[in-house]
Amino acid sequence: MDKLLQFFPNLNSYQIEQFKQLDPLYKEWNAKINVISRKDIDHLYEHHILHSLTIAAFFDFSNHTILDVGTGGGFPGIPLAIMFPHCQFTLVDSIGKKIKVVEQISNSLKLTNVKTLHINVKEHKQTYDYIVSRAVCNFNEFVAITRKNLSYNPYGGIIYLKGGDLLQELTLFKDKIQIFNIYDKIPIPFFETKKIVWLKTNLLNH
């Protein structure tokens, strides 16, 4: 929690309280339904919450609609929904028990800007300004199954959290993407190899 406040010092008291509630909420639900690995639950703030919020270090959403694909335990969607209360977030996952946890946590936090859907994104037709995800599959495959969900907002696009060597995987879009090194803005060892891949909608459609 201290690191979160260190890198995001402009959080208001209500947001801080919501972020504080995440630890007991996830520990309670994770004991019932495993959405975060046992060894990782003790690193919830750094490995999951702060990792999700790294998007906010590079992007500033304003009254946008955002789809979180393969949200799992609610990442990056739940932390981003706290950070951007004026944006509407839809969190989807094909695994029902995970969506149940996300729904319960969202309700506990009174997040009125979060909608959860138990659905495979391939079957989801609605469009959004932005699509976010934490490396649910190969980037090329991800673009193929989600590009239909992008509305034509020239400032929107796909924001993908990914680690490791991306060169081979991103060859298909190499002239259209930007890669941000998370460590440049949040210099914590955990983020040394972690990146954000950014593909703008107007480049995807050309």
Side-chain angles (χ1 to χ4, degrees):
M1 188 68 196
D2 290 342
K3 287 176 182 172
L4 196 145
L5 292 171
Q6 176 188 346
F7 293 106
F8 296 97
N10 295 324
L11 294 170
N12 62 42
S13 58
Y14 187 68
Q15 289 171 312
I16 291 169
E17 188 53 42
Q18 286 178 309
F19 280 121
K20 282 181 179 175
Q21 287 179 50
L22 289 178
D23 186 59
L25 281 170
Y26 272 105
K27 283 180 175 169
E28 176 189 348
W29 278 102
N30 213 53
K32 301 172 190 172
I33 299 171
N34 190 230
V35 292
I36 297 171
S37 70
R38 300 280 187 240
K39 61 180 175 133
D40 238 15
I41 195 72
D42 292 329
H43 303 285
L44 177 71
Y45 280 100
E46 186 173 303
H47 292 187
H48 298 279
I49 298 169
L50 190 56
H51 189 206
S52 299
L53 290 177
T54 59
I55 290 173
F58 292 89
F59 296 87
D60 188 13
F61 301 128
S62 174
N63 298 310
H64 291 113
T65 55
I66 297 137
L67 175 67
D68 176 7
V69 176
T71 189
F75 304 105
I78 291 282
L80 289 174
I82 296 173
M83 180 66 76
F84 299 106
H86 300 301
C87 294
Q88 294 301 313
F89 289 82
T90 300
L91 280 53
V92 304
D93 204 284
S94 59
I95 300 173
K97 64 181 182 180
K98 291 185 176 181
I99 280 296
K100 179 188 174 184
V101 173
V102 175
E103 195 173 282
Q104 294 296 329
I105 288 174
S106 175
N107 290 342
S108 296
L109 295 171
K110 297 182 173 58
L111 289 174
T112 57
N113 62 333
V114 169
K115 177 183 178 182
T116 57
L117 289 176
H118 173 209
I119 192 172
N120 187 311
V121 72
K122 291 176 184 176
E123 298 153 18
H124 189 46
K125 302 291 191 285
Q126 193 171 333
T127 58
Y128 302 83
D129 298 322
Y130 290 89
I131 296 173
V132 299
S133 188
R134 288 212 302 175
V136 294
C137 60
N138 177 285
F139 186 73
N140 297 338
E141 182 187 343
F142 185 80
V143 174
I145 61 176
T146 61
R147 62 189 301 162
K148 69 183 183 334
N149 299 106
L150 281 171
S151 59
Y152 191 74
N153 176 342
Y155 301 104
I158 293 172
I159 300 170
Y160 207 58
L161 289 165
K162 189 88 176 170
D165 185 4
L166 303 173
L167 287 179
Q168 190 170 354
E169 182 175 335
L170 300 175
T171 303
L172 192 62
F173 296 101
K174 68 178 186 296
D175 297 326
K176 298 182 176 183
I177 56 167
Q178 278 183 273
I179 299 174
F180 302 107
N181 293 307
I182 292 173
Y183 190 78
D184 291 346
K185 289 204 174 184
I186 304 183
I188 292 173
F190 178 70
F191 296 126
E192 273 183 343
T193 61
K194 294 194 165 29
K195 298 175 175 65
I196 294 173
V197 181
W198 166 229
L199 174 59
K200 287 181 75 172
T201 303
N202 59 349
L203 293 178
L204 179 59
N205 293 327
H206 285 83

